[in-house]
Amino acid sequence: LTLEEVRMLVELFYLPYHHGPQAQNLLKHFRWLRANSLSVGVPAPAPDACEGTQWRSQAQSFQLLCAQTCRLHSRFVSSAGRALLYDLHPYLWDIRNMLLAASAFVLWLGCQSITAPMLLRGDAEPWTHRGGLFGELQALLPVGNSCDLFYHPPPLFPSSQLYLLRPLLPLDRRRLAGLSCPQGRLGSGQQLSTGPALAGRLLGSFLSLSPEYTFVLEDEAGPCGYAAGALCAEGFLQQRDSSWLPAIRHKYPRDLGVGASALGQDVLEEALLFFHTEPPAVPLPVLQRFPSLVQLGTAPRVLDVGASRSLAICLLSALRANGSRGVFCQVSATDRQQMSFYSKLG
């Protein structure tokens, strides 16, 4: 580690209620960005709007601090002695996961129009937040009182893998297709000639109808995870069934699989069956109690559950910021991989 990186490490964990300059800057920027998020959004403010320009400048500084801390985690895992690594890694891993979510949430604030207050919760119990920088950052997220999201043990084998978490970009639509294929059976070298929509059938409706609540996890090899949501699940499901599914069925008729190569036959058949089977209805009591729908997934190479939790925290914070009271996800009872994934998230 360089002297600057060691100084950063000390400043992040100085004393439980007294932070060094790096940690103070993180908190200062995050508080200000959250409090002034109405100065940016969609529709975008005028180009000469001073408030919007100032907000984006502060957001850029916050992103830089988050990236530096994530790099510190990666460098520390690669360079620290084993005894020191296992003593300090849980704390640095926690901060890295928190800043992955906070950084993506700030990016999302910069391109959204928040129509509801972000602070919709009551006073938190004292045990909900931990001490130190982690607890203060947690309290600033809209889902900060959901303590189960933030309490999880670090991995037994620390990884130096760098991750980036951000809102969806236009180029991500095709690149995400293989990630939402069940069991990860469709790799990058097996894309079907019928296009990525077949491979991305589970995610396609979110990309088309609710892209503003879609986040992407990226590593050095490219996109490796996603989190997608619909703020109003009832309206989203109605639109999916009335417009999106009929259009997809017309584009990919049931007999499309005739003559397909053996390599893609199973995946193609499964995709077509999914498109041409009526989706199960969601009971009204579920929609009333949990008005938002979510879906998350990661590539098999993502072994760090902390990155997956950061995805969940960021998506739930975005939904909560716009007034959601609760979420549900739809999982097949026979899909053991997805059941295991959501169980590990808590």
Side-chain angles (χ1 to χ4, degrees):
L1 297 177
T2 66
L3 180 61
E4 189 61 33
E5 287 168 334
V6 173
R7 182 180 291 113
M8 188 190 309
L9 184 63
V10 172
E11 291 177 357
L12 291 172
F13 308 102
Y14 193 67
L15 288 172
Y17 298 100
H18 182 67
H19 311 301
Q22 175 90 333
Q24 290 177 18
N25 283 336
L26 279 168
L27 289 172
K28 181 183 72 174
H29 286 314
F30 197 11
R31 288 192 185 107
W32 190 91
L33 289 166
R34 200 190 65 161
N36 294 275
S37 61
L38 291 177
S39 62
V40 293
V42 179
D48 59 347
C50 295
E51 289 184 358
T53 302
Q54 184 184 4
W55 194 96
R56 297 185 189 282
S57 176
Q58 289 267 26
Q60 190 173 11
S61 298
F62 180 73
Q63 301 292 331
L64 180 60
L65 288 171
C66 291
Q68 289 173 345
T69 307
C70 291
R71 280 197 299 270
L72 171 62
H73 168 267
S74 178
R75 293 264 297 158
F76 183 77
V77 171
S78 301
S79 60
R82 295 296 95 178
L84 182 63
L85 172 61
Y86 281 96
D87 275 346
L88 299 184
H89 177 259
Y91 305 100
L92 196 53
W93 181 74
D94 267 345
I95 292 296
R96 183 213 62 171
N97 296 338
M98 178 65 71
L99 291 180
L100 278 175
S103 176
F105 180 66
V106 166
L107 281 173
W108 177 83
L109 283 177
C111 58
Q112 299 302 317
S113 180
I114 304 299
T115 56
M118 264 187 275
L119 298 177
L120 302 175
R121 56 186 186 271
D123 293 334
E125 296 290 340
W127 50 265
T128 303
H129 298 145
R130 285 149 54 179
L133 178 62
F134 182 95
E136 294 198 43
L137 288 169
Q138 175 189 342
L140 291 172
L141 286 169
V143 290
N145 285 350
S146 305
C147 58
D148 287 349
L149 285 170
F150 299 93
Y151 283 79
H152 45 283
L156 292 176
F157 303 101
S159 169
S160 61
Q161 178 65 62
L162 276 170
Y163 292 103
L164 173 66
L165 179 55
R166 54 173 175 75
L168 181 78
L169 296 175
L171 291 177
D172 292 326
R173 294 172 184 267
R174 181 174 293 272
R175 299 165 74 196
L176 283 174
L179 289 180
S180 55
C181 181
Q183 312 300 330
R185 285 184 299 224
L186 189 65
S188 59
Q190 296 174 274
Q191 292 293 342
L192 300 174
S193 60
T194 47
L198 287 177
R201 61 191 179 278
L202 300 178
L203 188 57
S205 56
F206 290 96
L207 295 178
S208 297
L209 305 177
S210 186
E212 65 273 18
Y213 290 103
T214 304
F215 295 88
V216 177
L217 182 69
E218 193 169 11
D219 62 13
E220 294 165 353
C224 58
Y226 69 90
L231 182 64
C232 177
E234 187 173 12
F236 172 84
L237 294 173
Q238 289 175 354
Q239 194 173 1
R240 181 198 67 182
D241 296 344
S242 64
S243 61
W244 185 79
L245 265 179
I248 287 294
R249 288 168 180 167
H250 178 74
K251 186 175 183 180
Y252 302 110
R254 186 67 185 89
D255 59 358
L256 185 65
V258 177
S261 65
L263 179 64
Q265 182 70 38
D266 290 343
V267 176
L268 180 57
E269 283 293 331
E270 193 172 350
L272 292 171
L273 181 63
F274 177 86
F275 287 146
H276 290 272
T277 300
E278 287 300 319
V282 179
L284 185 59
V286 172
L287 292 171
Q288 290 173 339
R289 185 175 178 186
F290 308 101
S292 302
L293 174 65
V294 300
Q295 181 180 300
L296 298 93
T298 57
R301 67 179 185 270
V302 180
L303 303 178
D304 189 340
V305 71
S308 302
R309 281 181 180 261
S310 296
L311 266 173
I313 290 169
C314 185
L315 172 60
L316 295 177
S317 291
L319 292 168
R320 181 67 167 163
N322 270 340
S324 177
R325 304 187 307 276
V327 305
F328 72 96
C329 58
Q330 294 179 296
V331 185
S332 169
T334 60
D335 193 335
R336 295 184 179 180
Q337 186 183 32
Q338 269 199 309
M339 295 286 280
S340 173
F341 175 79
Y342 286 115
S343 297
K344 288 178 181 176
L345 288 182

